[in-house]
C-alpha cells in the first residue's frame, strides 16, 4: 500500500491546498446565502461546503493544528 504514496508533498503545497479549500468553501457558503440561489443549487452548495469542511479538517490535522483531533477528522462526536 505504501507504494501508492509518494510522500513528496511540501508543507507549502499543503498550506496552499488548504487555503484553496477554504476559499472554495467560503464561495459555496456565499452562494448558499444568496436569495436568488434555487433550492436545488443551495443543496448542492451545502453538500460541497460540508465536503470541503472534511477536507479542511483533514489538512489542518495533517499540519498539526492543536484544535483538530482525529475524532474531528473522522466525524466522531463523542
Amino acid at each position: 500500500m505504501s507504494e501508492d504514496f509518494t510522500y513528496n508533498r511540501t508543507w507549502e503545497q499543503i498550506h496552499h491546498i488548504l487555503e484553496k479549500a477554504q476559499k472554495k468553501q467560503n464561495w459555496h457558503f456565499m452562494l448558499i446565502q444568496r436569495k436568488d440561489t434555487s433550492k436545488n443549487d443551495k443543496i448542492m452548495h451545502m453538500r460541497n461546503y460540508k465536503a470541503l469542511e472534511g477536507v479542511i479538517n483533514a489538512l489542518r490535522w495533517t499540519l498539526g493544528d492543536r484544535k483538530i483531533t482525529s475524532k474531528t477528522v473522522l466525524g466522531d462526536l463523542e
Side-chain angles (χ1 to χ4, degrees), residues 50 53 57 69-78:
K50 293 300 287 180
E53 185 175 77
N57 283 339
T69 66
S70 58
K71 287 185 177 188
T72 304
V73 173
L74 297 174
D76 294 338
L77 300 175
E78 299 174 12

Side-chain angles (χ1 to χ4, degrees), residues 16-29:
H16 179 71
I17 201 76
L18 173 60
E19 184 178 321
K20 285 179 73 171
Q22 289 170 326
K23 286 180 180 180
K24 187 83 170 199
Q25 185 189 42
N26 187 50
W27 179 76
H28 284 294
F29 181 78

Side-chain angles (χ1 to χ4, degrees), residues 12-22 55-56 59:
E12 291 79 21
Q13 288 174 310
I14 297 170
H15 279 282
H16 179 71
I17 201 76
L18 173 60
E19 184 178 321
K20 285 179 73 171
Q22 289 170 326
V55 169
I56 290 165
L59 288 169

Side-chain angles (χ1 to χ4, degrees), residues 5-74:
F5 301 98
T6 62
Y7 300 103
N8 67 351
R9 302 286 191 253
T10 65
W11 292 116
E12 291 79 21
Q13 288 174 310
I14 297 170
H15 279 282
H16 179 71
I17 201 76
L18 173 60
E19 184 178 321
K20 285 179 73 171
Q22 289 170 326
K23 286 180 180 180
K24 187 83 170 199
Q25 185 189 42
N26 187 50
W27 179 76
H28 284 294
F29 181 78
M30 289 172 37
L31 289 171
I32 292 166
Q33 302 302 312
R34 288 180 58 143
K35 296 197 184 309
D36 62 340
T37 303
S38 72
K39 182 178 180 179
N40 285 339
D41 284 345
K42 284 184 186 220
I43 291 168
M44 183 265 307
H45 288 298
M46 180 55 77
R47 189 175 306 126
N48 288 318
Y49 176 90
K50 293 300 287 180
L52 284 165
E53 185 175 77
V55 169
I56 290 165
N57 283 339
L59 288 169
R60 292 180 71 90
W61 179 85
T62 301
L63 290 167
D65 186 330
R66 296 178 198 273
K67 297 178 222 163
I68 304 295
T69 66
S70 58
K71 287 185 177 188
T72 304
V73 173
L74 297 174

